[in-house]
Amino acid sequence: MDPEIIREYIPIFTQAFILTVKIGWIGIALAFLIGVLCAFTTYFKIPVAAAAVRCYVELFRNTPLLVQLFFIYYGLPAVGIRISAEVCGAIGLGLLGGSYMTESIRSGLEAIPVIQTESALSLGMTNGQLFRDVILPQAFTISVPGIVANVIFLLKETSVFSAISLMDLMFTAKDLIGLYYNTMESLFLLVIFYVIMLLPVSLAGTLIEKKVRYRMFGD
Amino acid sequence: MGFEVIFKGKNFIRLLSGLCVALRISVISVAISIVLGIVVGMLMTLKKPVINAVTRVYLEIVRIMPQMVLLFIVFFGFTKMTGSNLSAELSSIIVFSFWGTAEMADLVRGCLISIPVIQYESSKALGLSRLQTYVYVIIPQIIRRLIPLSINLITRMIKTTSLIMMIGIVEVLKVGQQIIEANRKSAPKAAFGVFAVVFLLYFLACWPISCLSKYLEKKWEN
Protein backbone atom coordinates (compact mmCIF):
# COMPACT_ATOMS: atom_id res chain seq x y z
CA MET A 1 0.00 0.00 0.00
CA ASP A 2 1.31 3.43 -0.93
CA PRO A 3 0.56 6.21 1.62
CA GLU A 4 1.13 8.84 -1.11
CA ILE A 5 -1.72 7.45 -3.18
CA ILE A 6 -3.97 7.19 -0.15
CA ARG A 7 -3.36 10.86 0.67
CA GLU A 8 -4.15 11.74 -2.92
CA TYR A 9 -7.42 9.77 -2.87
CA ILE A 10 -8.75 11.09 0.45
CA PRO A 11 -10.42 14.24 -1.05
CA ILE A 12 -12.12 12.16 -3.76
CA PHE A 13 -13.45 9.73 -1.18
CA THR A 14 -14.50 12.55 1.16
CA GLN A 15 -16.66 14.00 -1.59
CA ALA A 16 -18.26 10.61 -2.25
CA PHE A 17 -18.70 10.11 1.50
CA ILE A 18 -20.63 13.37 1.87
CA LEU A 19 -22.93 12.43 -1.00
CA THR A 20 -23.52 8.92 0.39
CA VAL A 21 -24.25 10.19 3.91
CA LYS A 22 -26.53 12.93 2.62
CA ILE A 23 -28.67 10.69 0.46
CA GLY A 24 -28.59 7.96 3.10
CA TRP A 25 -29.97 10.16 5.87
CA ILE A 26 -32.54 11.82 3.60
CA GLY A 27 -33.70 8.30 2.72
CA ILE A 28 -33.82 7.31 6.39
CA ALA A 29 -35.85 10.41 7.30
CA LEU A 30 -38.24 9.57 4.47
CA ALA A 31 -38.40 5.97 5.65
CA PHE A 32 -39.27 7.07 9.18
CA LEU A 33 -42.01 9.35 7.91
CA ILE A 34 -43.51 6.61 5.73
CA GLY A 35 -43.15 4.14 8.60
CA VAL A 36 -45.04 6.33 11.10
CA LEU A 37 -47.84 7.08 8.63
CA CYS A 38 -48.24 3.45 7.55
CA ALA A 39 -48.01 2.06 11.09
CA PHE A 40 -50.80 4.36 12.30
CA THR A 41 -52.88 3.48 9.25
CA THR A 42 -52.72 -0.21 10.09
CA TYR A 43 -53.06 0.38 13.84
CA PHE A 44 -56.32 2.29 13.42
CA LYS A 45 -57.47 -0.19 10.74
CA ILE A 46 -58.46 2.56 8.30
CA PRO A 47 -60.37 0.67 5.58
CA VAL A 48 -58.74 0.28 2.12
CA ALA A 49 -55.66 2.29 3.23
CA ALA A 50 -54.69 -0.44 5.74
CA ALA A 51 -54.95 -3.10 3.02
CA ALA A 52 -52.86 -0.96 0.67
CA VAL A 53 -50.22 -0.55 3.37
CA ARG A 54 -50.08 -4.34 3.89
CA CYS A 55 -49.49 -4.85 0.15
CA TYR A 56 -46.80 -2.17 0.09
CA VAL A 57 -44.99 -3.61 3.13
CA GLU A 58 -45.02 -7.18 1.80
CA LEU A 59 -43.91 -6.06 -1.66
CA PHE A 60 -40.94 -4.00 -0.49
CA ARG A 61 -39.83 -6.26 2.35
CA ASN A 62 -39.58 -9.19 -0.04
CA THR A 63 -37.55 -7.60 -2.84
CA PRO A 64 -33.93 -6.38 -2.87
CA LEU A 65 -33.12 -2.66 -2.99
CA LEU A 66 -31.04 -3.22 -6.13
CA VAL A 67 -34.09 -4.49 -8.03
CA GLN A 68 -36.26 -1.66 -6.68
CA LEU A 69 -33.71 0.93 -7.80
CA PHE A 70 -33.43 -0.65 -11.26
CA PHE A 71 -37.19 -0.49 -11.61
CA ILE A 72 -37.39 3.16 -10.49
CA TYR A 73 -34.29 4.39 -12.32
CA TYR A 74 -34.31 2.37 -15.56
CA GLY A 75 -37.90 1.07 -15.75
CA LEU A 76 -39.98 4.17 -15.03
CA PRO A 77 -38.34 6.47 -17.67
CA ALA A 78 -39.59 4.04 -20.35
CA VAL A 79 -43.13 5.07 -19.48
CA GLY A 80 -42.27 8.76 -19.17
CA ILE A 81 -41.37 9.18 -15.47
CA ARG A 82 -37.82 10.53 -15.32
CA ILE A 83 -36.09 10.98 -11.95
CA SER A 84 -32.49 12.05 -11.28
CA ALA A 85 -30.15 9.45 -9.75
CA GLU A 86 -29.89 11.28 -6.42
CA VAL A 87 -33.64 11.64 -5.95
CA CYS A 88 -34.09 8.06 -7.11
CA GLY A 89 -31.61 6.83 -4.48
CA ALA A 90 -33.37 8.71 -1.69
CA ILE A 91 -36.82 7.57 -2.82
CA GLY A 92 -35.72 3.96 -3.22
CA LEU A 93 -34.11 3.88 0.21
CA GLY A 94 -37.15 5.66 1.67
CA LEU A 95 -39.59 3.13 0.20
CA LEU A 96 -37.52 0.12 1.27
CA GLY A 97 -36.91 1.56 4.74
CA GLY A 98 -40.53 2.65 5.07
CA SER A 99 -41.69 -0.95 4.86
CA TYR A 100 -39.22 -2.03 7.57
CA MET A 101 -40.03 0.97 9.80
CA THR A 102 -43.77 0.26 9.46
CA GLU A 103 -43.24 -3.21 10.86
CA SER A 104 -41.06 -2.01 13.76
CA ILE A 105 -43.41 0.81 14.79
CA ARG A 106 -46.54 -1.28 14.33
CA SER A 107 -45.20 -4.11 16.48
CA GLY A 108 -44.51 -1.55 19.23
CA LEU A 109 -48.04 -0.17 19.05
CA GLU A 110 -49.62 -3.61 19.03
CA ALA A 111 -47.57 -4.80 22.00
CA ILE A 112 -49.60 -2.56 24.34
CA PRO A 113 -52.40 -4.71 25.83
CA VAL A 114 -55.97 -3.63 25.03
CA ILE A 115 -56.74 -3.52 28.75
CA GLN A 116 -54.56 -0.41 29.07
CA THR A 117 -56.68 1.41 26.50
CA GLU A 118 -59.85 0.31 28.29
CA SER A 119 -58.50 1.31 31.70
CA ALA A 120 -57.37 4.70 30.46
CA LEU A 121 -60.75 5.38 28.86
CA SER A 122 -62.63 4.25 31.99
CA LEU A 123 -60.49 6.66 34.03
CA GLY A 124 -61.92 9.42 31.88
CA MET A 125 -58.86 10.11 29.71
CA THR A 126 -59.54 11.65 26.33
CA ASN A 127 -58.27 9.85 23.22
CA GLY A 128 -55.47 12.40 22.98
CA GLN A 129 -54.33 11.82 26.55
CA LEU A 130 -54.58 8.06 26.11
CA PHE A 131 -52.28 8.26 23.14
CA ARG A 132 -49.80 10.82 24.45
CA ASP A 133 -49.46 9.54 28.01
CA VAL A 134 -50.15 5.81 27.81
CA ILE A 135 -49.61 4.23 24.42
CA LEU A 136 -46.91 6.26 22.67
CA PRO A 137 -44.24 6.25 25.41
CA GLN A 138 -44.45 2.49 25.84
CA ALA A 139 -44.79 1.70 22.14
CA PHE A 140 -41.78 3.87 21.34
CA THR A 141 -39.63 2.08 23.89
CA ILE A 142 -40.50 -1.28 22.38
CA SER A 143 -39.86 -0.01 18.84
CA VAL A 144 -36.46 1.57 19.50
CA PRO A 145 -34.24 -1.53 19.02
CA GLY A 146 -36.02 -2.29 15.74
CA ILE A 147 -35.67 1.30 14.52
CA VAL A 148 -31.95 1.38 15.37
CA ALA A 149 -31.39 -1.90 13.54
CA ASN A 150 -33.26 -0.49 10.54
CA VAL A 151 -31.15 2.67 10.46
CA ILE A 152 -27.93 0.62 10.41
CA PHE A 153 -29.37 -1.69 7.76
CA LEU A 154 -30.39 1.27 5.58
CA LEU A 155 -27.01 2.99 5.89
CA LYS A 156 -25.39 -0.26 4.72
CA GLU A 157 -27.83 -0.51 1.83
CA THR A 158 -26.53 2.83 0.48
CA SER A 159 -23.66 0.79 -1.01
CA VAL A 160 -26.12 -0.32 -3.71
CA PHE A 161 -26.46 3.25 -5.07
CA SER A 162 -23.46 2.76 -7.35
CA ALA A 163 -25.69 0.56 -9.56
CA ILE A 164 -27.64 3.64 -10.69
CA SER A 165 -24.39 5.53 -11.37
CA LEU A 166 -24.52 7.71 -8.28
CA MET A 167 -21.00 8.84 -7.41
CA ASP A 168 -21.06 7.24 -3.97
CA LEU A 169 -18.24 5.49 -2.04
CA MET A 170 -18.73 2.18 -3.83
CA PHE A 171 -18.78 3.80 -7.26
CA THR A 172 -15.66 5.84 -6.50
CA ALA A 173 -13.77 2.77 -5.30
CA LYS A 174 -14.79 0.74 -8.34
CA ASP A 175 -13.92 3.62 -10.64
CA LEU A 176 -10.44 4.13 -9.15
CA ILE A 177 -9.71 0.39 -9.23
CA GLY A 178 -10.71 0.29 -12.87
CA LEU A 179 -8.77 3.41 -13.86
CA TYR A 180 -5.48 3.15 -11.98
CA TYR A 181 -5.49 -0.39 -10.64
CA ASN A 182 -4.63 0.82 -7.10
CA THR A 183 -6.84 -1.89 -5.65
CA MET A 184 -5.52 -2.11 -2.09
CA GLU A 185 -5.48 1.65 -1.49
CA SER A 186 -9.04 2.08 -2.81
CA LEU A 187 -10.38 -0.84 -0.81
CA PHE A 188 -8.63 0.41 2.33
CA LEU A 189 -10.21 3.86 2.04
CA LEU A 190 -13.58 2.30 1.23
CA VAL A 191 -13.50 0.30 4.47
CA ILE A 192 -12.25 3.27 6.52
CA PHE A 193 -15.02 5.55 5.25
CA TYR A 194 -17.73 2.97 5.89
CA VAL A 195 -16.38 2.51 9.43
CA ILE A 196 -16.53 6.30 9.93
CA MET A 197 -20.09 6.27 8.64
CA LEU A 198 -21.41 3.30 10.62
CA LEU A 199 -19.41 2.78 13.79
CA PRO A 200 -20.70 5.95 15.55
CA VAL A 201 -24.26 5.04 14.59
CA SER A 202 -23.80 1.50 15.83
CA LEU A 203 -22.34 2.67 19.18
CA ALA A 204 -24.91 5.45 19.61
CA GLY A 205 -27.67 2.95 18.82
CA THR A 206 -26.59 0.61 21.60
CA LEU A 207 -26.41 3.55 24.02
CA ILE A 208 -29.87 4.86 23.06
CA GLU A 209 -31.39 1.39 23.45
CA LYS A 210 -29.94 1.13 26.96
CA LYS A 211 -31.04 4.64 27.96
CA VAL A 212 -34.59 4.20 26.71
CA ARG A 213 -34.91 0.79 28.34
CA TYR A 214 -33.64 2.13 31.63
CA ARG A 215 -36.05 5.05 31.65
CA MET A 216 -38.97 2.80 30.86
CA PHE A 217 -38.33 -0.42 32.73
CA GLY A 218 -35.50 0.55 35.07
CA ASP A 219 -33.15 -2.32 34.24
CA MET B 1 -45.81 -1.13 -21.72
CA GLY B 2 -43.02 -3.44 -22.81
CA PHE B 3 -44.37 -6.69 -21.38
CA GLU B 4 -44.62 -8.40 -24.78
CA VAL B 5 -40.81 -8.64 -24.99
CA ILE B 6 -40.79 -11.03 -22.02
CA PHE B 7 -42.64 -13.71 -23.93
CA LYS B 8 -40.72 -13.33 -27.17
CA GLY B 9 -38.58 -16.36 -27.97
CA LYS B 10 -36.79 -17.80 -24.96
CA ASN B 11 -36.68 -14.57 -22.99
CA PHE B 12 -38.81 -15.70 -20.06
CA ILE B 13 -36.85 -18.95 -19.67
CA ARG B 14 -33.63 -16.92 -19.74
CA LEU B 15 -34.91 -14.65 -16.96
CA LEU B 16 -35.89 -17.65 -14.86
CA SER B 17 -32.52 -19.32 -15.32
CA GLY B 18 -30.92 -16.02 -14.29
CA LEU B 19 -32.96 -16.12 -11.09
CA CYS B 20 -31.86 -19.73 -10.59
CA VAL B 21 -28.19 -18.64 -10.55
CA ALA B 22 -28.95 -16.27 -7.66
CA LEU B 23 -31.09 -18.88 -5.89
CA ARG B 24 -28.38 -21.55 -6.22
CA ILE B 25 -25.78 -19.29 -4.64
CA SER B 26 -28.15 -18.38 -1.81
CA VAL B 27 -29.04 -22.02 -1.08
CA ILE B 28 -25.35 -23.03 -0.90
CA SER B 29 -24.50 -20.00 1.28
CA VAL B 30 -27.45 -20.61 3.61
CA ALA B 31 -26.49 -24.27 4.06
CA ILE B 32 -22.92 -23.31 4.98
CA SER B 33 -24.12 -20.45 7.22
CA ILE B 34 -26.52 -22.61 9.21
CA VAL B 35 -23.92 -25.29 9.96
CA LEU B 36 -21.12 -22.85 10.83
CA GLY B 37 -23.54 -20.49 12.58
CA ILE B 38 -24.68 -23.19 15.01
CA VAL B 39 -21.05 -24.00 15.87
CA VAL B 40 -20.03 -20.33 16.31
CA GLY B 41 -23.22 -19.57 18.24
CA MET B 42 -22.49 -22.37 20.69
CA LEU B 43 -18.88 -21.20 21.04
CA MET B 44 -20.17 -17.75 21.94
CA THR B 45 -22.05 -19.02 24.99
CA LEU B 46 -18.93 -20.71 26.43
CA LYS B 47 -17.78 -17.54 28.26
CA LYS B 48 -14.12 -17.97 27.27
CA PRO B 49 -12.63 -14.44 27.08
CA VAL B 50 -10.54 -15.04 23.94
CA ILE B 51 -13.39 -16.64 21.98
CA ASN B 52 -15.74 -13.92 23.20
CA ALA B 53 -13.43 -11.13 22.03
CA VAL B 54 -12.90 -12.72 18.60
CA THR B 55 -16.61 -13.35 18.00
CA ARG B 56 -17.55 -9.84 19.20
CA VAL B 57 -15.17 -8.30 16.67
CA TYR B 58 -16.45 -10.67 13.97
CA LEU B 59 -20.10 -9.78 14.66
CA GLU B 60 -19.32 -6.04 14.77
CA ILE B 61 -17.51 -6.25 11.40
CA VAL B 62 -20.52 -7.94 9.82
CA ARG B 63 -22.88 -5.50 11.56
CA ILE B 64 -21.28 -2.38 10.14
CA MET B 65 -19.72 -3.50 6.81
CA PRO B 66 -22.06 -3.54 3.82
CA GLN B 67 -22.05 -6.95 2.09
CA MET B 68 -21.10 -5.15 -1.09
CA VAL B 69 -17.86 -3.87 0.48
CA LEU B 70 -17.01 -7.39 1.68
CA LEU B 71 -17.73 -8.67 -1.80
CA PHE B 72 -15.32 -6.14 -3.30
CA ILE B 73 -12.62 -6.93 -0.74
CA VAL B 74 -12.76 -10.65 -1.50
CA PHE B 75 -13.25 -10.38 -5.24
CA PHE B 76 -10.74 -7.60 -6.03
CA GLY B 77 -8.52 -7.63 -2.95
CA PHE B 78 -7.83 -11.35 -2.85
CA THR B 79 -6.91 -11.43 -6.53
CA LYS B 80 -4.59 -8.46 -6.10
CA MET B 81 -2.96 -9.84 -2.96
CA THR B 82 -2.30 -13.41 -4.09
CA GLY B 83 -2.20 -12.91 -7.83
CA SER B 84 -4.43 -15.95 -8.28
CA ASN B 85 -7.89 -15.66 -9.71
CA LEU B 86 -10.90 -16.27 -7.50
CA SER B 87 -14.05 -16.85 -9.54
CA ALA B 88 -16.90 -14.40 -8.96
CA GLU B 89 -19.24 -17.19 -7.91
CA LEU B 90 -16.82 -18.60 -5.34
CA SER B 91 -16.10 -15.16 -3.88
CA SER B 92 -19.81 -14.45 -3.54
CA ILE B 93 -20.36 -17.77 -1.74
CA ILE B 94 -17.47 -16.97 0.63
CA VAL B 95 -18.81 -13.50 1.41
CA PHE B 96 -22.44 -14.52 1.85
CA SER B 97 -21.44 -17.45 4.08
CA PHE B 98 -19.24 -15.10 6.14
CA TRP B 99 -22.19 -12.78 6.56
CA GLY B 100 -24.79 -15.52 7.07
CA THR B 101 -22.68 -17.34 9.66
CA ALA B 102 -22.56 -14.21 11.82
CA GLU B 103 -26.32 -13.68 11.51
CA MET B 104 -27.03 -17.33 12.31
CA ALA B 105 -24.56 -17.40 15.21
CA ASP B 106 -26.28 -14.40 16.76
CA LEU B 107 -29.67 -16.13 16.45
CA VAL B 108 -28.31 -19.36 17.97
CA ARG B 109 -26.69 -17.46 20.83
CA GLY B 110 -29.93 -15.55 21.46
CA CYS B 111 -31.90 -18.81 21.61
CA LEU B 112 -29.35 -20.52 23.85
CA ILE B 113 -29.25 -17.77 26.45
CA SER B 114 -33.04 -17.50 26.40
CA ILE B 115 -33.19 -20.97 28.01
CA PRO B 116 -33.35 -20.35 31.78
CA VAL B 117 -30.33 -21.53 33.79
CA ILE B 118 -32.69 -23.46 36.05
CA GLN B 119 -33.24 -25.99 33.28
CA TYR B 120 -29.55 -26.82 33.15
CA GLU B 121 -29.45 -27.06 36.93
CA SER B 122 -32.54 -29.25 37.11
CA SER B 123 -31.13 -31.63 34.47
CA LYS B 124 -27.92 -31.86 36.45
CA ALA B 125 -29.86 -32.53 39.65
CA LEU B 126 -31.75 -35.31 37.88
CA GLY B 127 -28.43 -36.92 36.97
CA LEU B 128 -28.41 -36.20 33.23
CA SER B 129 -24.99 -35.94 31.63
CA ARG B 130 -24.00 -32.79 29.73
CA LEU B 131 -24.73 -34.52 26.41
CA GLN B 132 -28.10 -35.82 27.62
CA THR B 133 -29.04 -32.34 28.85
CA TYR B 134 -28.43 -30.95 25.38
CA VAL B 135 -30.06 -33.78 23.42
CA TYR B 136 -33.21 -34.22 25.51
CA VAL B 137 -33.81 -30.82 27.10
CA ILE B 138 -32.14 -27.89 25.40
CA ILE B 139 -31.99 -28.72 21.68
CA PRO B 140 -35.68 -29.65 21.21
CA GLN B 141 -36.67 -26.26 22.62
CA ILE B 142 -34.11 -24.36 20.60
CA ILE B 143 -35.06 -25.96 17.31
CA ARG B 144 -38.62 -24.67 17.53
CA ARG B 145 -37.39 -21.13 18.00
CA LEU B 146 -34.59 -21.45 15.50
CA ILE B 147 -36.40 -22.90 12.47
CA PRO B 148 -38.61 -19.86 11.73
CA LEU B 149 -35.62 -17.55 12.19
CA SER B 150 -33.39 -19.59 9.86
CA ILE B 151 -36.13 -19.67 7.23
CA ASN B 152 -36.24 -15.90 7.51
CA LEU B 153 -32.48 -15.86 6.93
CA ILE B 154 -33.08 -17.63 3.58
CA THR B 155 -35.21 -14.75 2.27
CA ARG B 156 -32.63 -12.24 3.42
CA MET B 157 -29.94 -14.27 1.69
CA ILE B 158 -31.93 -14.35 -1.57
CA LYS B 159 -32.33 -10.57 -1.43
CA THR B 160 -28.63 -10.10 -0.73
CA THR B 161 -27.54 -12.32 -3.61
CA SER B 162 -28.95 -9.75 -6.04
CA LEU B 163 -25.61 -7.98 -5.40
CA ILE B 164 -23.66 -10.61 -7.38
CA MET B 165 -24.60 -8.67 -10.48
CA MET B 166 -22.14 -5.99 -9.37
CA ILE B 167 -19.15 -8.34 -9.65
CA GLY B 168 -20.16 -9.53 -13.09
CA ILE B 169 -22.17 -12.70 -12.57
CA VAL B 170 -24.93 -13.00 -15.15
CA GLU B 171 -28.10 -13.28 -13.10
CA VAL B 172 -31.66 -12.14 -13.53
CA LEU B 173 -30.98 -8.34 -13.58
CA LYS B 174 -28.13 -8.76 -16.06
CA VAL B 175 -30.27 -11.01 -18.29
CA GLY B 176 -32.96 -8.32 -18.07
CA GLN B 177 -30.48 -5.69 -19.26
CA GLN B 178 -29.39 -7.94 -22.14
CA ILE B 179 -32.99 -8.44 -23.25
CA ILE B 180 -33.61 -4.68 -23.12
CA GLU B 181 -30.46 -3.99 -25.15
CA ALA B 182 -31.33 -6.61 -27.77
CA ASN B 183 -34.82 -5.18 -28.27
CA ARG B 184 -33.92 -1.48 -28.08
CA LYS B 185 -35.29 -0.77 -31.59
CA SER B 186 -38.37 -2.99 -31.67
CA ALA B 187 -39.54 -2.36 -28.10
CA PRO B 188 -38.28 0.93 -26.64
CA LYS B 189 -40.47 0.57 -23.57
CA ALA B 190 -39.05 -2.86 -22.70
CA ALA B 191 -37.17 -1.52 -19.65
CA PHE B 192 -40.40 -0.97 -17.75
CA GLY B 193 -41.84 -4.40 -18.47
CA VAL B 194 -38.63 -6.33 -17.91
CA PHE B 195 -37.73 -4.70 -14.58
CA ALA B 196 -41.34 -4.95 -13.38
CA VAL B 197 -41.20 -8.69 -14.08
CA VAL B 198 -37.82 -9.05 -12.32
CA PHE B 199 -39.29 -7.20 -9.34
CA LEU B 200 -42.23 -9.60 -9.32
CA LEU B 201 -40.01 -12.68 -9.71
CA TYR B 202 -37.98 -11.73 -6.64
CA PHE B 203 -41.19 -11.11 -4.73
CA LEU B 204 -42.57 -14.51 -5.74
CA ALA B 205 -39.32 -16.18 -4.67
CA CYS B 206 -39.21 -14.53 -1.22
CA TRP B 207 -42.82 -13.99 -0.22
CA PRO B 208 -43.89 -17.64 0.25
CA ILE B 209 -40.78 -18.26 2.36
CA SER B 210 -41.49 -15.24 4.61
CA CYS B 211 -45.09 -16.41 5.00
CA LEU B 212 -43.90 -19.88 6.02
CA SER B 213 -41.50 -18.37 8.55
CA LYS B 214 -44.26 -16.20 10.06
CA TYR B 215 -46.68 -19.15 10.17
CA LEU B 216 -44.20 -21.44 11.96
CA GLU B 217 -43.27 -18.70 14.40
CA LYS B 218 -46.93 -18.22 15.38
CA LYS B 219 -47.58 -21.96 15.52
CA TRP B 220 -44.64 -22.71 17.81
CA GLU B 221 -44.89 -19.60 19.92
CA ASN B 222 -45.17 -21.57 23.15
Side-chain angles (χ1 to χ4, degrees):
Chain A
M1 243 187 284
D2 187 347
E4 201 54 45
I5 296 174
I6 290 178
R7 204 166 310 140
E8 199 180 311
Y9 282 179
I10 284 177
I12 310 175
F13 270 93
T14 311
Q15 220 171 14
F17 175 76
I18 292 168
L19 183 79
T20 313
V21 168
K22 195 177 76 190
I23 297 176
W25 281 102
I26 292 174
I28 289 168
L30 199 62
F32 191 72
L33 206 68
I34 295 174
V36 169
L37 281 176
C38 289
F40 280 111
T41 309
T42 44
Y43 183 70
F44 291 118
K45 300 199 176 64
I46 300 168
V48 187
V53 166
R54 280 256 46 95
C55 287
Y56 154 67
V57 169
E58 289 298 328
L59 203 58
F60 278 82
R61 271 176 72 92
N62 286 300
T63 44
L65 179 61
L66 190 61
V67 174
Q68 294 163 9
L69 286 179
F70 262 68
F71 179 69
I72 299 172
Y73 191 66
Y74 297 112
L76 289 184
V79 290
I81 305 166
R82 217 165 283 278
I83 310 169
S84 78
E86 293 182 24
V87 177
C88 173
I91 290 178
L93 201 67
L95 284 174
L96 172 83
S99 66
Y100 281 83
M101 292 291 190
T102 304
E103 287 291 274
S104 305
I105 298 169
R106 187 188 57 90
S107 67
L109 287 171
E110 281 178 1
I112 313 300
V114 184
I115 197 158
Q116 295 204 10
T117 311
E118 293 166 352
S119 313
L121 290 177
S122 71
L123 284 170
M125 281 189 175
T126 60
N127 269 328
Q129 284 173 323
L130 160 70
F131 237 79
R132 199 184 59 232
D133 299 329
V134 181
I135 296 185
L136 279 186
Q138 297 184 73
F140 183 66
T141 315
I142 298 168
S143 302
V144 159
I147 293 172
V148 169
N150 288 343
V151 168
I152 293 172
F153 163 72
L154 291 173
L155 280 179
K156 280 163 71 179
E157 286 289 298
T158 55
S159 59
V160 175
F161 286 165
S162 58
I164 53 168
S165 40
L166 249 173
M167 297 284 277
D168 74 333
L169 285 172
M170 221 57 225
F171 190 92
T172 308
K174 200 176 178 181
D175 215 28
L176 290 174
I177 292 173
L179 278 176
Y180 305 112
Y181 214 60
N182 294 320
T183 313
M184 293 328 265
E185 291 82 359
S186 303
L187 288 178
F188 174 73
L189 282 172
L190 182 66
V191 169
I192 294 295
F193 274 98
Y194 265 108
V195 168
I196 295 174
M197 186 157 131
L198 278 146
L199 197 59
V201 179
S202 172
L203 294 177
T206 317
L207 203 72
I208 291 169
E209 272 171 42
K210 265 194 198 137
K211 273 256 160 69
V212 171
R213 247 201 99 75
Y214 182 75
R215 266 179 60 185
M216 202 63 214
F217 303 111
D219 66 342
Chain B
M1 298 289 271
F3 287 104
E4 62 285 346
V5 182
I6 311 283
F7 301 103
K8 216 171 79 182
K10 282 188 179 162
N11 283 352
F12 194 62
I13 307 288
R14 282 179 62 204
L15 276 179
L16 282 183
S17 61
L19 190 65
C20 282
V21 173
L23 290 183
R24 197 182 64 228
I25 292 178
S26 15
V27 168
I28 297 171
S29 312
V30 163
I32 298 173
S33 304
I34 287 178
V35 175
L36 290 180
I38 290 173
V39 176
V40 177
M42 284 169 90
L43 283 177
M44 283 162 78
T45 56
L46 283 183
K47 296 197 176 94
K48 296 262 159 54
V50 180
I51 297 176
N52 262 0
V54 173
T55 48
R56 288 261 327 244
V57 172
Y58 171 42
L59 283 195
E60 195 61 23
I61 289 174
V62 172
R63 187 169 135 105
I64 67 167
M65 268 303 127
Q67 291 92 324
M68 187 92 130
V69 174
L70 298 174
L71 207 55
F72 265 52
I73 292 173
V74 172
F75 187 58
F76 292 117
F78 181 84
T79 313
K80 178 84 178 187
M81 247 180 350
T82 60
S84 62
N85 191 19
L86 199 61
S87 83
E89 209 170 313
L90 188 61
S91 14
S92 59
I93 290 174
I94 292 172
V95 168
F96 296 142
S97 307
F98 180 78
W99 168 72
T101 301
E103 294 278 333
M104 190 68 200
D106 208 28
L107 298 178
V108 172
R109 189 190 61 102
C111 287
L112 276 173
I113 58 173
S114 73
I115 305 278
V117 187
I118 199 159
Q119 296 205 10
Y120 291 91
E121 292 169 352
S122 313
S123 317
K124 214 173 190 177
L126 285 170
L128 294 181
S129 70
R130 219 184 151 78
L131 183 72
Q132 282 173 322
T133 309
Y134 271 101
V135 172
Y136 296 116
V137 183
I138 310 299
I139 292 177
Q141 298 182 67
I142 290 175
I143 283 179
R144 288 196 157 192
R145 285 185 209 182
L146 215 51
I147 287 179
L149 297 173
S150 354
I151 294 174
N152 203 25
L153 184 65
I154 300 175
T155 62
R156 290 172 60 204
M157 189 65 87
I158 294 174
K159 285 185 281 175
T160 311
T161 43
S162 64
L163 298 180
I164 56 178
M165 182 226 175
M166 306 296 285
I167 55 168
I169 297 179
V170 178
E171 46 69 79
V172 60
L173 273 175
K174 199 82 207 167
V175 173
Q177 278 184 327
Q178 288 169 353
I179 293 173
I180 294 162
E181 282 301 318
N183 298 285
R184 178 128 299 188
K185 284 266 160 56
S186 61
K189 283 183 179 171
F192 181 79
V194 169
F195 288 132
V197 167
V198 172
F199 193 99
L200 211 64
L201 283 179
Y202 261 105
F203 177 69
L204 291 177
C206 293
W207 191 55
I209 306 176
S210 329
C211 287
L212 178 68
S213 155
K214 253 186 218 152
Y215 167 77
L216 289 179
E217 201 169 352
K218 269 224 177 87
K219 191 179 157 194
W220 288 338
E221 211 156 17
N222 286 304

